[in-house]
Amino acid sequence: MSTVTKPNHIGRKISRIRELRDMKQEALAQALGMSQQSISNIENSETIDEDKLIEIAKALGVSAEAIKSFSEENVINYFNTFHDSQGNFQSNHCTFNPLDKVVELYERLVQAEKDKIEYLEKLMKEK
């Protein structure tokens, strides 16, 4: 039994786009005038009628072609690569090491705790 996802499973693509748009099956069903169960059946279908695909695409705010060509890799690439209004390439990569920031925060928290202890010890000595 293979668990490999077929790359052209339209139903899964619809489901993933719907999830990325933060839309529940019920909301999509209402927009299309059908039941939530019908949406579930569509999302489990490997193929779908072209006219129905166009309706669903419209409800999701994308083109039918966007659904057909959807892939997780393309989404990741889209968010990692941006172009400004003049068409110039901009890369969205961290310019710092996130681990260094975690260590820096930890060191600041430790220092704050040491300062509290020192202050409390000073108060205790005054009594």
Side-chain angles (χ1 to χ4, degrees), residues 52-96:
K52 183 59 73 179
L53 180 63
I54 291 169
E55 282 182 58
I56 293 169
K58 189 181 229 182
L60 289 172
V62 298
S63 68
E65 190 55 42
I67 294 174
K68 291 177 186 177
S69 63
F70 176 83
S71 77
E72 295 287 334
E73 185 177 334
N74 288 344
V75 172
I76 292 167
N77 288 338
Y78 173 78
F79 285 110
N80 283 338
T81 307
F82 292 96
H83 296 274
D84 63 18
S85 59
Q86 288 80 33
N88 297 323
F89 171 76
Q90 293 180 334
S91 181
N92 188 23
H93 296 287
C94 287
T95 57
F96 60 88

Side-chain angles (χ1 to χ4, degrees), residues 15 17 20 63 66 85 92 97 117 123:
S15 173
I17 291 169
L20 289 169
S63 68
S85 59
N92 188 23
N97 183 347
I117 291 170
L123 286 177

Side-chain angles (χ1 to χ4, degrees), residues 15 17-29 31 43 59-61:
S15 173
I17 291 169
R18 178 184 54 74
E19 290 167 355
L20 289 169
R21 308 267 307 155
D22 199 25
M23 181 184 277
K24 296 200 177 291
Q25 283 185 342
E26 294 84 6
L28 182 56
E43 290 181 354
L60 289 172

Side-chain angles (χ1 to χ4, degrees), residues 28-39:
L28 182 56
Q30 187 176 14
L32 294 168
M34 52 178 50
S35 69
Q36 178 271 328
Q37 186 60 43
S38 297
I39 297 300

